[in-house]
Amino acid sequence: MGDYKLSTHFSFYELTDSNTFSNLVSENRSSALEFEHNLVLTAKALESQREILGSPLKISSGYRCSRLNNAIGGSTTSSHTRGQAADYKPIDVSPSDAFKKLKLNRSKLAFTKKIIFESIGNTWIHTESSEDKNCQTEFYTTTDGKSYTRVKL
């Protein structure tokens, strides 16, 4: 199975890779084919965020098969296991500034159900996709990955 574009800037391999558990990448990619539609929606959500931020995004986690999700200690209900989530860091902007910019430009977000600013020793943005291009995006923060505080807009 070769790589291919899910959107202008995001590929199937990029949203199904694992730097931490490279031994599970082949299984992860085979399993991800079942969720290709969701991966396309996630890529569309990432495209809208990339455009708002004016920065390329470095994806650290996308789709996770159950074995990969378990290996990294992910939640059993994680949207990653359905291809509906991705974690990233913008290349040209800090995650904190990116979160602020996304909140300010929330009306321009497409296919984005949820954005979480995660600060657990390291910082990144977690995003969850939606079937609805114009859904209302919810914003949260977390410092432990278990409890989330909704950000009032």
Side-chain angles (χ1 to χ4, degrees):
M1 139 186 46
D3 196 13
Y4 56 94
K5 293 281 191 184
L6 295 169
S7 67
T8 304
H9 297 102
F10 299 99
S11 72
F12 178 77
Y13 275 17
E14 187 174 17
L15 291 181
T16 58
D17 199 14
S18 174
N19 292 329
T20 311
F21 294 96
S22 55
N23 59 316
L24 295 175
V25 170
S26 181
E27 177 183 342
N28 197 53
R29 288 186 175 144
S30 293
S31 173
L33 293 172
E34 177 183 353
F35 300 99
E36 185 176 25
H37 175 75
N38 292 346
L39 286 168
V40 169
L41 292 173
T42 298
K44 288 179 179 182
L46 291 166
E47 288 290 350
S48 79
Q49 292 167 50
R50 184 184 196 277
E51 185 174 331
I52 288 166
L53 297 174
S55 173
L57 309 178
K58 173 70 175 143
I59 307 300
S60 57
S61 185
Y63 172 76
R64 300 179 199 147
C65 66
S66 59
R67 279 190 55 200
L68 176 58
N69 194 56
N70 290 339
I72 65 160
S75 164
T76 56
T77 59
S78 173
S79 295
H80 286 278
T81 62
R82 297 181 304 279
Q84 296 172 311
D87 298 334
Y88 69 86
K89 285 187 178 189
I91 302 295
D92 300 325
V93 120
S94 73
S96 176
D97 288 343
F99 188 71
K100 291 173 192 169
K101 194 169 186 178
L102 292 168
K103 284 189 302 181
L104 288 172
N105 291 279
R106 63 189 172 273
S107 65
K108 297 178 185 174
L109 289 166
F111 301 101
T112 306
K113 174 181 168 186
K114 191 181 294 182
I115 294 179
I116 304 171
F117 175 71
E118 306 222 19
S119 178
I120 308 169
N122 203 344
T123 58
W124 68 90
I125 302 289
H126 169 91
T127 190
E128 294 184 17
S129 62
S130 168
E131 290 272 346
D132 181 1
K133 179 180 181 181
N134 300 310
C135 71
Q136 293 294 315
T137 305
E138 298 174 355
F139 291 84
Y140 295 85
T141 61
T142 185
T143 56
D144 63 7
K146 295 177 182 14
S147 59
Y148 298 88
T149 302
R150 187 163 185 181
V151 176
K152 300 216 187 280
L153 302 173

